[in-house]
mmCIF file of all heavy atoms in Angstrom:
data_model
loop_
_atom_site.group_PDB
_atom_site.id
_atom_site.type_symbol
_atom_site.label_atom_id
_atom_site.label_comp_id
_atom_site.label_asym_id
_atom_site.label_seq_id
_atom_site.Cartn_x
_atom_site.Cartn_y
_atom_site.Cartn_z
ATOM 1 N N GLY B 1 97.869 -31.194 -35.905
ATOM 2 C CA GLY B 1 97.957 -31.993 -37.121
ATOM 3 C C GLY B 1 98.598 -33.355 -36.955
ATOM 4 O O GLY B 1 98.738 -34.099 -37.928
ATOM 5 N N ILE B 2 99.012 -33.699 -35.736
ATOM 6 C CA ILE B 2 99.603 -35.016 -35.479
ATOM 7 C C ILE B 2 98.657 -35.778 -34.556
ATOM 8 O O ILE B 2 98.300 -35.297 -33.480
ATOM 9 C CB ILE B 2 100.995 -34.898 -34.820
ATOM 10 C CG1 ILE B 2 101.946 -34.110 -35.729
ATOM 11 C CG2 ILE B 2 101.557 -36.290 -34.508
ATOM 12 C CD1 ILE B 2 103.269 -33.758 -35.078
ATOM 13 N N PHE B 3 98.251 -36.971 -34.992
ATOM 14 C CA PHE B 3 97.363 -37.788 -34.177
ATOM 15 C C PHE B 3 98.212 -38.734 -33.337
ATOM 16 O O PHE B 3 98.980 -39.540 -33.870
ATOM 17 C CB PHE B 3 96.396 -38.581 -35.063
ATOM 18 C CG PHE B 3 95.300 -39.239 -34.291
ATOM 19 C CD1 PHE B 3 94.296 -38.489 -33.700
ATOM 20 C CD2 PHE B 3 95.274 -40.613 -34.140
ATOM 21 C CE1 PHE B 3 93.278 -39.097 -32.982
ATOM 22 C CE2 PHE B 3 94.263 -41.234 -33.429
ATOM 23 C CZ PHE B 3 93.263 -40.468 -32.838
ATOM 24 N N LEU B 4 98.111 -38.612 -32.012
ATOM 25 C CA LEU B 4 98.847 -39.450 -31.070
ATOM 26 C C LEU B 4 97.890 -40.520 -30.556
ATOM 27 O O LEU B 4 96.795 -40.190 -30.091
ATOM 28 C CB LEU B 4 99.374 -38.604 -29.906
ATOM 29 C CG LEU B 4 100.179 -37.356 -30.302
ATOM 30 C CD1 LEU B 4 100.375 -36.451 -29.109
ATOM 31 C CD2 LEU B 4 101.509 -37.756 -30.899
ATOM 32 N N PHE B 5 98.316 -41.793 -30.616
ATOM 33 C CA PHE B 5 97.400 -42.881 -30.279
ATOM 34 C C PHE B 5 98.120 -44.012 -29.560
ATOM 35 O O PHE B 5 99.172 -44.473 -30.002
ATOM 36 C CB PHE B 5 96.761 -43.423 -31.563
ATOM 37 C CG PHE B 5 95.711 -44.477 -31.342
ATOM 38 C CD1 PHE B 5 94.410 -44.127 -31.004
ATOM 39 C CD2 PHE B 5 96.015 -45.825 -31.484
ATOM 40 C CE1 PHE B 5 93.431 -45.095 -30.810
ATOM 41 C CE2 PHE B 5 95.039 -46.802 -31.302
ATOM 42 C CZ PHE B 5 93.746 -46.431 -30.959
ATOM 43 N N ASN B 6 97.548 -44.436 -28.440
ATOM 44 C CA ASN B 6 98.010 -45.610 -27.716
ATOM 45 C C ASN B 6 96.845 -46.593 -27.678
ATOM 46 O O ASN B 6 95.774 -46.249 -27.170
ATOM 47 C CB ASN B 6 98.443 -45.234 -26.300
ATOM 48 C CG ASN B 6 99.060 -46.390 -25.526
ATOM 49 O OD1 ASN B 6 98.672 -47.532 -25.675
ATOM 50 N ND2 ASN B 6 100.027 -46.074 -24.693
ATOM 51 N N PRO B 7 97.038 -47.818 -28.192
ATOM 52 C CA PRO B 7 95.931 -48.770 -28.221
ATOM 53 C C PRO B 7 95.594 -49.368 -26.857
ATOM 54 O O PRO B 7 94.586 -50.051 -26.718
ATOM 55 C CB PRO B 7 96.437 -49.858 -29.170
ATOM 56 C CG PRO B 7 97.923 -49.825 -29.003
ATOM 57 C CD PRO B 7 98.258 -48.372 -28.790
ATOM 58 N N GLY B 8 96.410 -49.124 -25.840
ATOM 59 C CA GLY B 8 96.233 -49.771 -24.550
ATOM 60 C C GLY B 8 96.912 -51.134 -24.580
ATOM 61 O O GLY B 8 97.775 -51.388 -25.409
ATOM 62 N N SER B 9 96.519 -52.017 -23.690
ATOM 63 C CA SER B 9 97.117 -53.343 -23.603
ATOM 64 C C SER B 9 96.043 -54.410 -23.771
ATOM 65 O O SER B 9 94.958 -54.291 -23.198
ATOM 66 C CB SER B 9 97.799 -53.536 -22.244
ATOM 67 O OG SER B 9 98.183 -54.876 -22.047
ATOM 68 N N ILE B 10 96.369 -55.464 -24.538
ATOM 69 C CA ILE B 10 95.398 -56.552 -24.702
ATOM 70 C C ILE B 10 95.428 -57.509 -23.516
ATOM 71 O O ILE B 10 94.549 -58.344 -23.386
ATOM 72 C CB ILE B 10 95.593 -57.325 -26.027
ATOM 73 C CG1 ILE B 10 96.933 -58.055 -26.068
ATOM 74 C CG2 ILE B 10 95.414 -56.414 -27.216
ATOM 75 C CD1 ILE B 10 97.062 -59.048 -27.213
ATOM 76 N N THR B 11 96.429 -57.386 -22.644
ATOM 77 C CA THR B 11 96.547 -58.342 -21.541
ATOM 78 C C THR B 11 96.375 -57.735 -20.158
ATOM 79 O O THR B 11 95.765 -58.345 -19.294
ATOM 80 C CB THR B 11 97.915 -59.046 -21.571
ATOM 81 O OG1 THR B 11 98.947 -58.057 -21.545
ATOM 82 C CG2 THR B 11 98.062 -59.918 -22.794
ATOM 83 N N SER B 12 96.930 -56.555 -19.928
ATOM 84 C CA SER B 12 96.900 -56.007 -18.570
ATOM 85 C C SER B 12 96.765 -54.487 -18.575
ATOM 86 O O SER B 12 97.730 -53.768 -18.348
ATOM 87 C CB SER B 12 98.160 -56.426 -17.804
ATOM 88 O OG SER B 12 99.321 -56.080 -18.540
ATOM 89 N N PRO B 13 95.549 -53.996 -18.827
ATOM 90 C CA PRO B 13 95.340 -52.548 -18.841
ATOM 91 C C PRO B 13 95.576 -51.948 -17.456
ATOM 92 O O PRO B 13 95.348 -52.606 -16.445
ATOM 93 C CB PRO B 13 93.876 -52.398 -19.266
ATOM 94 C CG PRO B 13 93.246 -53.697 -18.960
ATOM 95 C CD PRO B 13 94.310 -54.743 -19.065
ATOM 96 N N ARG B 14 96.034 -50.705 -17.449
ATOM 97 C CA ARG B 14 96.307 -50.013 -16.190
ATOM 98 C C ARG B 14 95.447 -48.764 -16.016
ATOM 99 O O ARG B 14 95.731 -47.926 -15.172
ATOM 100 C CB ARG B 14 97.780 -49.625 -16.128
ATOM 101 C CG ARG B 14 98.707 -50.809 -16.094
ATOM 102 C CD ARG B 14 100.154 -50.390 -16.037
ATOM 103 N NE ARG B 14 101.025 -51.568 -16.084
ATOM 104 C CZ ARG B 14 102.255 -51.560 -16.559
ATOM 105 N NH1 ARG B 14 102.786 -50.444 -17.021
ATOM 106 N NH2 ARG B 14 102.966 -52.663 -16.571
ATOM 107 N N ASP B 15 94.406 -48.641 -16.825
ATOM 108 C CA ASP B 15 93.565 -47.445 -16.759
ATOM 109 C C ASP B 15 92.146 -47.763 -16.297
ATOM 110 O O ASP B 15 91.231 -46.989 -16.524
ATOM 111 C CB ASP B 15 93.537 -46.742 -18.117
ATOM 112 C CG ASP B 15 93.110 -47.655 -19.265
ATOM 113 O OD1 ASP B 15 92.786 -48.837 -19.018
ATOM 114 O OD2 ASP B 15 93.111 -47.191 -20.415
ATOM 115 N N TYR B 16 91.971 -48.883 -15.622
ATOM 116 C CA TYR B 16 90.663 -49.309 -15.111
ATOM 117 C C TYR B 16 89.637 -49.467 -16.228
ATOM 118 O O TYR B 16 88.448 -49.351 -16.000
ATOM 119 C CB TYR B 16 90.155 -48.357 -14.016
ATOM 120 C CG TYR B 16 91.150 -48.192 -12.909
ATOM 121 C CD1 TYR B 16 91.939 -47.055 -12.821
ATOM 122 C CD2 TYR B 16 91.336 -49.202 -11.970
ATOM 123 C CE1 TYR B 16 92.876 -46.918 -11.805
ATOM 124 C CE2 TYR B 16 92.279 -49.069 -10.954
ATOM 125 C CZ TYR B 16 93.041 -47.930 -10.879
ATOM 126 O OH TYR B 16 93.968 -47.790 -9.880
ATOM 127 N N MET B 17 90.123 -49.726 -17.418
ATOM 128 C CA MET B 17 89.289 -49.973 -18.582
ATOM 129 C C MET B 17 89.524 -51.419 -19.016
ATOM 130 O O MET B 17 90.501 -52.039 -18.601
ATOM 131 C CB MET B 17 89.668 -49.025 -19.724
ATOM 132 C CG MET B 17 89.500 -47.545 -19.422
ATOM 133 S SD MET B 17 87.795 -47.035 -19.384
ATOM 134 C CE MET B 17 87.413 -47.064 -21.115
ATOM 135 N N PRO B 18 88.648 -51.965 -19.863
ATOM 136 C CA PRO B 18 88.882 -53.327 -20.363
ATOM 137 C C PRO B 18 90.148 -53.374 -21.231
ATOM 138 O O PRO B 18 90.620 -52.337 -21.706
ATOM 139 C CB PRO B 18 87.645 -53.607 -21.221
ATOM 140 C CG PRO B 18 86.625 -52.622 -20.799
ATOM 141 C CD PRO B 18 87.366 -51.420 -20.317
ATOM 142 N N PRO B 19 90.689 -54.567 -21.467
ATOM 143 C CA PRO B 19 91.814 -54.698 -22.397
ATOM 144 C C PRO B 19 91.438 -54.086 -23.747
ATOM 145 O O PRO B 19 90.255 -54.022 -24.096
ATOM 146 C CB PRO B 19 92.000 -56.213 -22.527
ATOM 147 C CG PRO B 19 91.392 -56.778 -21.290
ATOM 148 C CD PRO B 19 90.262 -55.857 -20.928
ATOM 149 N N SER B 20 92.443 -53.641 -24.499
ATOM 150 C CA SER B 20 92.120 -52.982 -25.764
ATOM 151 C C SER B 20 93.248 -53.060 -26.775
ATOM 152 O O SER B 20 94.400 -53.305 -26.441
ATOM 153 C CB SER B 20 91.751 -51.512 -25.522
ATOM 154 O OG SER B 20 92.831 -50.824 -24.923
ATOM 155 N N TYR B 21 92.860 -52.836 -28.020
ATOM 156 C CA TYR B 21 93.771 -52.675 -29.146
ATOM 157 C C TYR B 21 93.140 -51.616 -30.035
ATOM 158 O O TYR B 21 92.052 -51.116 -29.739
ATOM 159 C CB TYR B 21 94.009 -53.998 -29.883
ATOM 160 C CG TYR B 21 92.781 -54.633 -30.475
ATOM 161 C CD1 TYR B 21 92.442 -54.444 -31.809
ATOM 162 C CD2 TYR B 21 91.939 -55.428 -29.701
ATOM 163 C CE1 TYR B 21 91.313 -55.028 -32.358
ATOM 164 C CE2 TYR B 21 90.809 -56.024 -30.243
ATOM 165 C CZ TYR B 21 90.498 -55.812 -31.568
ATOM 166 O OH TYR B 21 89.387 -56.393 -32.115
ATOM 167 N N GLY B 22 93.796 -51.240 -31.127
ATOM 168 C CA GLY B 22 93.267 -50.168 -31.962
ATOM 169 C C GLY B 22 93.038 -50.566 -33.402
ATOM 170 O O GLY B 22 93.752 -51.406 -33.954
ATOM 171 N N ILE B 23 92.022 -49.940 -33.987
ATOM 172 C CA ILE B 23 91.779 -50.004 -35.427
ATOM 173 C C ILE B 23 91.806 -48.562 -35.923
ATOM 174 O O ILE B 23 91.095 -47.699 -35.395
ATOM 175 C CB ILE B 23 90.410 -50.634 -35.762
ATOM 176 C CG1 ILE B 23 90.361 -52.100 -35.330
ATOM 177 C CG2 ILE B 23 90.096 -50.488 -37.253
ATOM 178 C CD1 ILE B 23 91.202 -53.040 -36.167
ATOM 179 N N ILE B 24 92.639 -48.315 -36.929
ATOM 180 C CA ILE B 24 92.800 -46.965 -37.469
ATOM 181 C C ILE B 24 92.506 -46.992 -38.963
ATOM 182 O O ILE B 24 93.000 -47.864 -39.692
ATOM 183 C CB ILE B 24 94.224 -46.431 -37.228
ATOM 184 C CG1 ILE B 24 94.494 -46.329 -35.731
ATOM 185 C CG2 ILE B 24 94.434 -45.079 -37.914
ATOM 186 C CD1 ILE B 24 95.918 -45.968 -35.380
ATOM 187 N N HIS B 25 91.702 -46.042 -39.401
ATOM 188 C CA HIS B 25 91.456 -45.823 -40.825
ATOM 189 C C HIS B 25 92.164 -44.518 -41.176
ATOM 190 O O HIS B 25 91.856 -43.467 -40.609
ATOM 191 C CB HIS B 25 89.965 -45.714 -41.123
ATOM 192 C CG HIS B 25 89.224 -46.977 -40.847
ATOM 193 N ND1 HIS B 25 89.055 -47.957 -41.793
ATOM 194 C CD2 HIS B 25 88.619 -47.435 -39.725
ATOM 195 C CE1 HIS B 25 88.381 -48.964 -41.280
ATOM 196 N NE2 HIS B 25 88.104 -48.676 -40.015
ATOM 197 N N MET B 26 93.102 -44.587 -42.114
ATOM 198 C CA MET B 26 93.896 -43.414 -42.477
ATOM 199 C C MET B 26 93.721 -43.149 -43.965
ATOM 200 O O MET B 26 93.869 -44.048 -44.795
ATOM 201 C CB MET B 26 95.368 -43.687 -42.142
ATOM 202 C CG MET B 26 96.280 -42.513 -42.269
ATOM 203 S SD MET B 26 97.924 -42.969 -41.605
ATOM 204 C CE MET B 26 98.854 -41.530 -42.067
ATOM 205 N N SER B 27 93.354 -41.916 -44.298
ATOM 206 C CA SER B 27 93.233 -41.509 -45.696
ATOM 207 C C SER B 27 94.026 -40.219 -45.876
ATOM 208 O O SER B 27 94.627 -39.715 -44.936
ATOM 209 C CB SER B 27 91.764 -41.296 -46.060
ATOM 210 O OG SER B 27 91.244 -40.175 -45.383
ATOM 211 N N GLU B 28 93.985 -39.674 -47.078
ATOM 212 C CA GLU B 28 94.712 -38.427 -47.336
ATOM 213 C C GLU B 28 94.215 -37.290 -46.453
ATOM 214 O O GLU B 28 94.983 -36.428 -46.050
ATOM 215 C CB GLU B 28 94.582 -38.040 -48.806
ATOM 216 C CG GLU B 28 95.328 -38.974 -49.733
ATOM 217 C CD GLU B 28 95.114 -38.625 -51.194
ATOM 218 O OE1 GLU B 28 94.694 -37.495 -51.498
ATOM 219 O OE2 GLU B 28 95.368 -39.509 -52.028
ATOM 220 N N LYS B 29 92.912 -37.302 -46.135
ATOM 221 C CA LYS B 29 92.322 -36.181 -45.395
ATOM 222 C C LYS B 29 92.048 -36.472 -43.926
ATOM 223 O O LYS B 29 92.014 -35.558 -43.119
ATOM 224 C CB LYS B 29 91.017 -35.751 -46.059
ATOM 225 C CG LYS B 29 91.215 -35.202 -47.450
ATOM 226 C CD LYS B 29 89.927 -34.756 -48.050
ATOM 227 C CE LYS B 29 90.172 -34.230 -49.472
ATOM 228 N NZ LYS B 29 88.951 -33.779 -50.098
ATOM 229 N N ASN B 30 91.824 -37.736 -43.574
ATOM 230 C CA ASN B 30 91.376 -38.056 -42.214
ATOM 231 C C ASN B 30 92.133 -39.204 -41.574
ATOM 232 O O ASN B 30 92.648 -40.080 -42.271
ATOM 233 C CB ASN B 30 89.883 -38.451 -42.224
ATOM 234 C CG ASN B 30 88.991 -37.312 -42.617
ATOM 235 O OD1 ASN B 30 89.136 -36.207 -42.123
ATOM 236 N ND2 ASN B 30 88.060 -37.589 -43.520
ATOM 237 N N ILE B 31 92.126 -39.181 -40.255
ATOM 238 C CA ILE B 31 92.563 -40.319 -39.458
ATOM 239 C C ILE B 31 91.444 -40.585 -38.460
ATOM 240 O O ILE B 31 91.075 -39.708 -37.679
ATOM 241 C CB ILE B 31 93.886 -40.047 -38.711
ATOM 242 C CG1 ILE B 31 95.017 -39.802 -39.705
ATOM 243 C CG2 ILE B 31 94.218 -41.214 -37.770
ATOM 244 C CD1 ILE B 31 96.333 -39.405 -39.072
ATOM 245 N N LEU B 32 90.869 -41.781 -38.544
ATOM 246 C CA LEU B 32 89.824 -42.190 -37.619
ATOM 247 C C LEU B 32 90.346 -43.383 -36.840
ATOM 248 O O LEU B 32 90.815 -44.351 -37.427
ATOM 249 C CB LEU B 32 88.547 -42.572 -38.367
ATOM 250 C CG LEU B 32 87.939 -41.482 -39.255
ATOM 251 C CD1 LEU B 32 86.825 -42.075 -40.106
ATOM 252 C CD2 LEU B 32 87.419 -40.343 -38.407
ATOM 253 N N ALA B 33 90.271 -43.305 -35.517
ATOM 254 C CA ALA B 33 90.789 -44.385 -34.687
ATOM 255 C C ALA B 33 89.779 -44.750 -33.622
ATOM 256 O O ALA B 33 89.032 -43.900 -33.138
ATOM 257 C CB ALA B 33 92.100 -43.944 -34.031
ATOM 258 N N ARG B 34 89.767 -46.042 -33.268
ATOM 259 C CA ARG B 34 88.909 -46.462 -32.168
ATOM 260 C C ARG B 34 89.609 -47.571 -31.388
ATOM 261 O O ARG B 34 90.404 -48.343 -31.941
ATOM 262 C CB ARG B 34 87.543 -46.901 -32.647
ATOM 263 C CG ARG B 34 87.562 -48.081 -33.548
ATOM 264 C CD ARG B 34 86.199 -48.383 -34.105
ATOM 265 N NE ARG B 34 86.395 -49.357 -35.171
ATOM 266 C CZ ARG B 34 85.494 -50.176 -35.588
ATOM 267 N NH1 ARG B 34 84.304 -50.146 -35.073
ATOM 268 N NH2 ARG B 34 85.749 -51.029 -36.547
ATOM 269 N N HIS B 35 89.300 -47.609 -30.129
ATOM 270 C CA HIS B 35 89.794 -48.663 -29.259
ATOM 271 C C HIS B 35 88.801 -49.814 -29.282
ATOM 272 O O HIS B 35 87.596 -49.592 -29.197
ATOM 273 C CB HIS B 35 89.979 -48.134 -27.826
ATOM 274 C CG HIS B 35 91.078 -47.139 -27.713
ATOM 275 N ND1 HIS B 35 90.851 -45.787 -27.741
ATOM 276 C CD2 HIS B 35 92.413 -47.306 -27.593
ATOM 277 C CE1 HIS B 35 92.010 -45.149 -27.638
ATOM 278 N NE2 HIS B 35 92.973 -46.057 -27.538
ATOM 279 N N MET B 36 89.311 -51.013 -29.407
ATOM 280 C CA MET B 36 88.486 -52.211 -29.477
ATOM 281 C C MET B 36 88.776 -53.081 -28.254
ATOM 282 O O MET B 36 89.913 -53.147 -27.796
ATOM 283 C CB MET B 36 88.816 -53.009 -30.738
ATOM 284 C CG MET B 36 88.726 -52.226 -32.037
ATOM 285 S SD MET B 36 87.053 -51.886 -32.549
ATOM 286 C CE MET B 36 86.520 -53.520 -32.996
ATOM 287 N N ASN B 37 87.759 -53.770 -27.778
ATOM 288 C CA ASN B 37 87.899 -54.664 -26.631
ATOM 289 C C ASN B 37 87.969 -56.105 -27.131
ATOM 290 O O ASN B 37 87.009 -56.587 -27.732
ATOM 291 C CB ASN B 37 86.697 -54.472 -25.694
ATOM 292 C CG ASN B 37 86.741 -55.350 -24.473
ATOM 293 O OD1 ASN B 37 87.515 -56.295 -24.379
ATOM 294 N ND2 ASN B 37 85.896 -55.037 -23.516
ATOM 295 N N PRO B 38 89.097 -56.805 -26.905
ATOM 296 C CA PRO B 38 89.191 -58.187 -27.393
ATOM 297 C C PRO B 38 88.148 -59.112 -26.762
ATOM 298 O O PRO B 38 87.775 -60.118 -27.354
ATOM 299 C CB PRO B 38 90.610 -58.617 -27.027
ATOM 300 C CG PRO B 38 91.099 -57.627 -26.053
ATOM 301 C CD PRO B 38 90.310 -56.374 -26.239
ATOM 302 N N ASP B 39 87.650 -58.765 -25.583
ATOM 303 C CA ASP B 39 86.611 -59.574 -24.946
ATOM 304 C C ASP B 39 85.340 -59.609 -25.793
ATOM 305 O O ASP B 39 84.620 -60.599 -25.792
ATOM 306 C CB ASP B 39 86.277 -59.054 -23.548
ATOM 307 C CG ASP B 39 87.437 -59.245 -22.575
ATOM 308 O OD1 ASP B 39 88.331 -60.071 -22.860
ATOM 309 O OD2 ASP B 39 87.455 -58.571 -21.538
ATOM 310 N N ASP B 40 85.065 -58.525 -26.529
ATOM 311 C CA ASP B 40 83.888 -58.504 -27.406
ATOM 312 C C ASP B 40 84.013 -59.556 -28.505
ATOM 313 O O ASP B 40 83.031 -60.182 -28.885
ATOM 314 C CB ASP B 40 83.689 -57.125 -28.028
ATOM 315 C CG ASP B 40 83.267 -56.084 -27.001
ATOM 316 O OD1 ASP B 40 82.780 -56.474 -25.918
ATOM 317 O OD2 ASP B 40 83.442 -54.886 -27.275
ATOM 318 N N LEU B 41 85.216 -59.758 -29.017
ATOM 319 C CA LEU B 41 85.437 -60.786 -30.038
ATOM 320 C C LEU B 41 85.182 -62.163 -29.462
ATOM 321 O O LEU B 41 84.566 -63.006 -30.092
ATOM 322 C CB LEU B 41 86.884 -60.730 -30.556
ATOM 323 C CG LEU B 41 87.321 -59.480 -31.281
ATOM 324 C CD1 LEU B 41 88.807 -59.544 -31.579
ATOM 325 C CD2 LEU B 41 86.526 -59.293 -32.556
#
C-alpha cells in the first residue's frame, strides 16, 4: 500500500538509462507515476 518512487537524476543518471524526472498523478484511489526524459522536451 505504499508507493516508493525515485525519479532518477536529470543530470547524471547511474543506471545506464537516460536522465529522468517524475510525473505523478495521485487520487484517493490510485497513484500513477512515470519517469520522463528531459531530452524529449
Side-chain angles (χ1 to χ4, degrees):
I2 301 171
F3 191 70
L4 308 167
F5 185 81
N6 185 325
S9 170
I10 65 168
T11 56
S12 53
R14 295 180 183 153
D15 55 2
Y16 306 102
M17 299 287 286
S20 60
Y21 61 96
I23 295 289
I24 298 173
H25 295 271
M26 188 172 173
S27 68
E28 291 176 19
K29 295 182 181 180
N30 294 313
I31 297 175
L32 302 171
R34 62 186 168 156
H35 292 97
M36 306 286 290
N37 180 347
D39 292 341
D40 291 341
L41 296 174

